[in-house]
Amino acid sequence: MKKKFVIAGNWKMFKTAEESRRFVSDLERDLPDVAGIEVVLFAPFTSLAAMKGMSGRIGIGAQNLFYEREGAFTGEISSVMLQGLADWVLIGHSERREIFGETDEMIRKKIPAALAVGLRPLLCVGETLAERDRGETVSKIEGQLAAALAGLEKGDIRRLAIAYEPVWAIGTGRNATPAQAEDVHRFIRGWLAAKLGDASGFPLLYGGSVKPENSGELLAQTDIDGVLVGGASLKVESFSAIINHSRDLLDK
Ligand code: PGA
């Protein structure tokens, strides 16, 4: 039994502003009225203004930011521009790393940029299938964490949440087994505890083909405090089923 879950949807490049608004009002109707479940929707930039102020119970997140405040960076969005539009921001999603060439160094710079304007970063880490097969899962995750958090004060690290998303499980229908996910989550919590002294309340989310059929078992793992849901967050029905499963696992 747990005290708190974060249930987050990553819409990726789906939903117009109008579709986003409709989703929020439909989801709001289905939301269980319980403290202890934090719901966040990571929406396209173009939906953020439309979603703003629609629900006091659904947090809004952006899917990316650029680390400079302003300048000649065509097509980019800064943290300052997101201020007041989003509560959270995804940083280092594997699609950003793989398709758009984001490096550990870029990801490291994005975190203080987000924190400086009060955005809460959800940092994503995860190994590829080849890395897992070579037995490099832990060293890959450790390398990504160390690179992303380098130079951050303990108090700043405590303002983050982290999502473990094995790249081979994203959009493939093939989720990590609850035991595989728990192994990596336990490692991350231990790594954070060594850095911070205590990481018992630090939100660690699992992502990668999470759906209503597997979310309950994943969320029941000791070190899994939430899920980051891609495909199954696009429909109110499946996303709210996942939220409801988390409610069943909360301390009464
Ligand atoms: P998926 O995506 O649930 O569709 O696998 C998860 C993610 O990319 O965050």
Side-chain angles (χ1 to χ4, degrees):
M1 288 296 189
K2 315 237 175 114
K3 294 205 160 24
K4 198 168 165 27
F5 283 117
V6 179
I7 310 296
N10 172 14
W11 284 349
K12 312 192 179 191
M13 199 174 72
F14 290 96
K15 296 196 188 296
T16 62
E18 190 43 46
E19 288 164 346
S20 304
R21 282 185 66 81
R22 208 173 315 132
F23 187 101
V24 171
S25 60
D26 290 350
L27 179 64
E28 171 78 24
R29 226 170 292 139
D30 278 11
L31 271 189
D33 202 9
V34 263
I37 304 178
E38 189 164 0
V39 176
V40 189
L41 293 172
F42 289 93
F45 289 132
T46 43
S47 291
L48 299 178
M51 294 163 76
K52 188 184 155 157
M54 282 189 72
S55 167
R57 299 190 295 164
I58 301 172
I60 298 181
Q63 297 174 6
N64 184 28
L65 54 71
F66 191 57
Y67 47 78
E68 297 288 353
R69 288 177 71 86
E70 59 183 12
F73 303 105
T74 302
E76 292 298 312
I77 302 281
S78 76
S79 59
V80 180
M81 294 169 179
L82 292 172
Q83 216 171 359
L85 287 177
D87 314 297
W88 289 75
V89 63
L90 274 187
I91 294 186
H93 189 278
S94 63
E95 286 153 15
R96 298 294 322 164
R97 296 178 190 256
E98 295 208 328
I99 305 171
F100 301 101
E102 281 191 18
T103 62
D104 280 336
E105 178 59 9
M106 290 164 78
I107 289 159
R108 184 186 67 74
K109 290 181 180 168
K110 289 180 180 207
I111 295 173
L115 292 173
V117 299
L119 284 169
R120 186 156 190 209
L122 175 52
L123 170 68
C124 302
V125 296
E127 82 288 3
T128 63
L129 189 55
E131 288 161 345
R132 173 163 283 265
D133 289 345
R134 290 197 300 265
E136 294 169 5
T137 299
V138 162
S139 60
K140 176 65 183 281
I141 304 297
E142 183 168 25
Q144 287 179 328
L145 290 173
L149 305 182
L152 275 187
E153 304 278 336
K154 286 184 192 176
D156 283 340
I157 295 175
R158 288 201 187 89
R159 292 161 67 195
L160 270 66
I162 292 175
Y164 166 56
E165 297 204 305
V167 176
W168 47 272
I170 294 179
T172 56
R174 178 177 164 195
N175 63 290
T177 64
Q180 283 174 323
E182 170 62 17
D183 277 351
V184 178
H185 279 236
R186 193 182 319 115
F187 165 76
I188 297 175
R189 197 175 308 281
W191 188 90
L192 287 168
K195 221 174 165 60
L196 301 175
D198 175 26
S200 49
F202 195 103
L204 298 181
L205 282 60
Y206 168 79
S209 297
V210 175
K211 40 190 182 273
E213 296 74 33
N214 59 26
S215 63
E217 218 188 327
L218 286 160
L219 288 165
Q221 304 302 307
T222 310
D223 291 295
I224 300 186
D225 312 300
V227 281
L228 178 56
V229 186
S233 74
L234 293 172
K235 292 219 160 64
V236 171
E237 203 180 40
S238 42
F239 193 56
S240 56
I242 293 170
I243 295 170
N244 281 315
H245 289 152
S246 73
R247 180 189 55 185
D248 299 341
L249 293 163
L250 279 177
D251 275 333
K252 296 290 178 295

